[in-house]
Amino acid sequence: MREIGHFIGGKQVKGTSGRAGDVFNPNTGEVQAKVALAKHSEVEHAIALAETAQPAWAAVNPQRRARVLMKFLDLMQKEFDTLARLLSSEHGKTFADSKGDIQRGLEVVEFACGIPHLLKGEFTAGAGPNIDLFSLRQPLGVVAGITPFNFPAMIPMWKFAPALACGNAFILKPSERDPSVPMRLAELLVEAGLPAGVLNVVNGDKEAVDTLLTDPRIQAVGFVGSSAIAEYVYATAAANGKRAQCFGGAKNQMIIMPDADMDQAVDALIGAGYGSAGERCMAVSVAVPVGRKTADVLLEKLVPRVESLKIGPSTDAQADFGPLITRAHLDKVKSYVDLGIKEGAKLLVDGRNFKMQGYENGNFMGGCLFDHVTPDMRIYKEEIFGPVLAVVRAKDYEEAVRLPSEHEYGNGVAIFTRDGDAARDFINRVEVGMVGVNFAIPVPLSYYTFGGWKRSGFGDLNQHGPDSVRFYTRTKTVTARWPSGVKEGAEFVIPTMK
Ligand code: NAD
């Protein structure tokens, strides 16, 4: 059985805790590797090496640091397909979707190559008599990233690329369910010229995370995962004096106005609702047609599309989506479908009994579609994270703005309409962090920032874009006066600019 250890001090090392987790092949349900779960002292060792390596890395000039990332981009291009296949084999998403996962990560690495520009401070010559005032952006030191299973390439890159470009050392704690790609990313960084110890990967579970959250040498924690854990990580990191940004779960809605291009809306819903088996934080899980007629037209087109979704193993190039990450998660998603029926929603398409021929033990299910879901139901309130779409019928536009605004999650939302006035009003009023107009998955590009509101994001700065530089640096402001020409005596009042 393949064993996955940690990446510490510039090389792969074996785990010493005696504890290991199963890494499944979601297509077959078989255990394909064992991943070491780090104990407290292994994480402490990684932090110590990072702390030793960080000052020299911070002293490398910003352009040279960026060049390491440029070289990493090169190496990634050479290994793109191999990595995508590895990613699919542990996650279960299709090869094409795995390539998208890697690509969206690389785009943030590209952004980070330009970070020297954003590290420039401010300068005011002559802010007072013989006084110059300026600010510097300095790295924090050793920072940590804790990432989820659903984007095992993209989210680690979103975290470490800006952090490293800013001169920090980094400890990555990836998901224990698909750790192989993050391990390879670390190797490629070292191959690209990153000094040993600047980035370390510790595999593990709560024990590893808690060590990162409480160790005083960790200055900042970036987390992505479910909301309950995001909130715990945020509270614990903050209580231990750390900077923290923690992104959580979602229940993204797509509003379909009566004037929308219905074919475009259905295409968008199918892709955003069922792509990656719904295991995306920006998946659309609620469709909100406005008015009865809109709902009827939408469902007439949508039902046959959901019924004809092509499910297949992650190796099938024709598949729309593959298996879910684990058997336990598959059971959880199916139990939500059972619950929806009990709550009184109408199940129009039932994918619970889907069996994948030749892969009977894989974590497969078909697409499910509910109509007449109401805001009091748990299948509306809670994140299901599977190929299950709920239709909530809104009687008018006002109700359609209220639904996502009043939902406890606020990651993404979309409106499909040809009415510019309605779209503009929606953009201004909806209480959600990322908005799409005739665009179902509004993940901003790398030079903007990504982040949800309410229980989808804890902390005040977003991921990537300029916020990532603010998060991974601290500002030092300097007031400098040179002695020549200064004739003031002792001053006992606070200096002002009268
Ligand atoms: P998860 O919360 O189970 O795990 C995330 C990370 O936290 C993993 O590294 C895991 O090992 C660690 N962890 C799990 N339990 C822990 C505990 N009790 N104490 C400390 N650490 C713990 O999430 P997941 O299932 O891997 O990922 C899916 C979730 O991530 C979904 O809720 C999805 O919406 C969310 N997500 C959010 C975004 C975003 O940007 N908002 C992006 C991707 C995924």
Side-chain angles (χ1 to χ4, degrees):
M1 177 79 53
R2 186 162 61 96
E3 283 181 16
I4 303 165
H6 312 290
F7 188 87
I8 297 176
K11 56 181 191 299
Q12 300 227 16
V13 297
K14 276 190 187 320
T16 58
S17 69
R19 291 196 308 130
D22 292 331
V23 179
F24 292 96
N25 175 346
N27 293 320
T28 61
E30 284 161 5
V31 177
Q32 58 165 314
K34 288 276 182 190
V35 60
L37 302 174
K39 61 182 175 187
H40 194 69
S41 59
E42 289 172 294
V43 182
E44 287 193 319
H45 174 57
I47 298 172
L49 292 185
E51 195 187 33
T52 306
Q54 191 269 334
W57 176 242
V60 172
N61 74 52
Q63 247 179 313
R64 287 199 174 165
R65 290 200 300 257
R67 276 186 207 134
V68 171
L69 294 177
M70 288 179 206
K71 177 81 178 148
F72 172 75
L73 286 173
D74 260 8
L75 298 174
M76 287 291 290
Q77 286 307 331
K78 293 194 183 105
E79 222 169 280
F80 209 117
D81 286 7
T82 313
L83 272 172
R85 264 188 290 276
L86 181 62
L87 198 161
S88 285
S89 75
E90 290 185 356
H91 178 285
K93 62 174 83 174
T94 62
F95 176 62
D97 203 26
S98 291
K99 283 171 72 167
D101 185 329
I102 295 169
Q103 178 59 27
R104 286 306 293 246
L106 291 178
E107 288 170 12
V108 170
V109 182
E110 288 167 356
F111 163 78
C113 291
I115 275 181
H117 175 67
L118 296 172
L119 286 174
K120 289 185 298 193
E122 303 149 305
F123 189 88
T124 305
N130 278 19
I131 295 173
D132 298 332
L133 190 58
F134 57 99
S135 64
L136 313 172
R137 282 200 171 278
Q138 296 189 324
L140 302 177
V142 184
V143 299
I146 300 153
T147 57
F149 82 84
N150 69 325
F151 281 99
M154 179 182 88
I155 296 182
M157 285 192 259
W158 283 15
K159 301 283 176 212
F160 68 62
L164 295 175
C166 291
N168 299 285
F170 198 91
I171 311 284
L172 175 65
K173 206 306 281 171
S175 170
E176 63 277 38
R177 288 184 263 179
D178 44 14
S180 292
V181 169
M183 290 288 281
R184 184 67 191 138
L185 298 180
E187 279 180 336
L188 290 175
L189 275 169
V190 168
E191 225 175 284
L194 191 74
V198 175
L199 180 130
N200 301 295
V201 182
V202 287
N203 284 308
D205 52 9
K206 186 169 165 51
E207 182 169 347
V209 172
D210 285 346
T211 307
L212 293 169
L213 297 181
T214 50
D215 192 295
R217 294 166 293 181
I218 298 288
Q219 304 300 324
V221 177
F223 172 91
V224 180
S226 54
S227 287
I229 312 294
E231 189 172 23
Y232 164 75
V233 170
Y234 183 69
T236 313
N240 283 278
K242 302 182 196 319
R243 198 176 274 198
Q245 52 170 202
C246 301
F247 300 93
K251 196 81 182 178
N252 307 310
Q253 311 202 7
M254 181 170 137
I255 315 302
I256 301 107
M257 295 291 283
D259 66 346
D261 177 328
M262 217 43 89
D263 291 323
Q264 191 192 53
V266 168
D267 278 342
L269 260 182
I270 279 286
Y274 300 95
S276 199
E279 292 174 323
R280 288 187 187 135
C281 70
M282 289 294 274
V284 171
S285 47
V286 178
V288 183
V290 176
R292 215 182 75 194
K293 185 149 173 275
T294 314
D296 293 343
V297 176
L298 177 80
L299 284 168
E300 201 183 305
K301 288 176 183 279
L302 191 57
V303 168
R305 294 287 297 276
V306 179
E307 284 170 341
S308 57
L309 280 165
K310 187 164 178 339
I311 295 112
S314 58
T315 45
D316 178 353
Q318 307 306 317
D320 294 324
F321 64 86
L324 279 84
I325 182 77
T326 55
R327 167 66 51 172
H329 187 56
L330 174 70
D331 291 344
K332 182 176 159 201
V333 172
K334 285 186 181 174
S335 76
Y336 267 110
V337 182
D338 301 341
L339 174 69
I341 297 167
K342 274 202 211 104
E343 288 181 307
K346 192 167 174 206
L347 187 62
L348 299 182
V349 184
D350 184 357
R352 284 173 298 174
N353 295 322
F354 175 86
K355 279 272 170 250
M356 188 71 227
Q357 231 187 338
Y359 295 88
E360 283 73 13
N361 293 321
N363 310 325
F364 294 93
M365 71 179 281
C368 295
L369 178 65
F370 275 113
D371 191 11
H372 296 291
V373 175
T374 53
D376 55 314
M377 295 179 183
R378 276 182 57 200
I379 59 161
Y380 172 79
K381 291 185 191 159
E382 297 172 20
E383 182 180 48
I384 299 175
F385 225 53
V388 182
L389 181 64
V391 175
V392 178
R393 294 167 173 246
K395 65 177 183 313
D396 55 23
Y397 169 71
E398 281 306 316
E399 189 182 351
V401 182
R402 228 175 22 246
L403 282 166
S405 298
E406 289 178 357
H407 202 285
E408 70 170 339
Y409 292 119
N411 215 34
V413 72
I415 185 167
F416 275 64
T417 181
R418 290 186 171 98
D419 179 344
D421 262 354
R424 188 166 185 277
D425 182 74
F426 186 77
I427 293 166
N428 285 332
R429 284 169 56 204
V430 74
E431 301 257 330
V432 174
M434 292 172 282
V435 182
V437 176
N438 297 316
F439 203 91
I441 307 189
V443 177
L445 291 179
S446 59
Y447 44 97
Y448 281 77
T449 69
F450 179 107
W453 289 7
K454 300 181 282 184
R455 288 188 62 76
S456 295
F458 302 84
D460 61 354
L461 289 168
N462 281 349
Q463 303 184 87
H464 62 68
D467 268 11
S468 61
V469 177
R470 293 181 193 115
F471 184 73
Y472 288 117
T473 58
R474 50 188 174 175
T475 307
K476 186 177 277 175
T477 316
V478 182
T479 307
R481 179 162 64 186
W482 303 105
S484 62
V486 178
K487 293 199 186 61
E488 292 161 18
E491 274 276 13
F492 294 97
V493 246
I494 178 97
T496 64
M497 280 297 148
K498 272 208 306 272

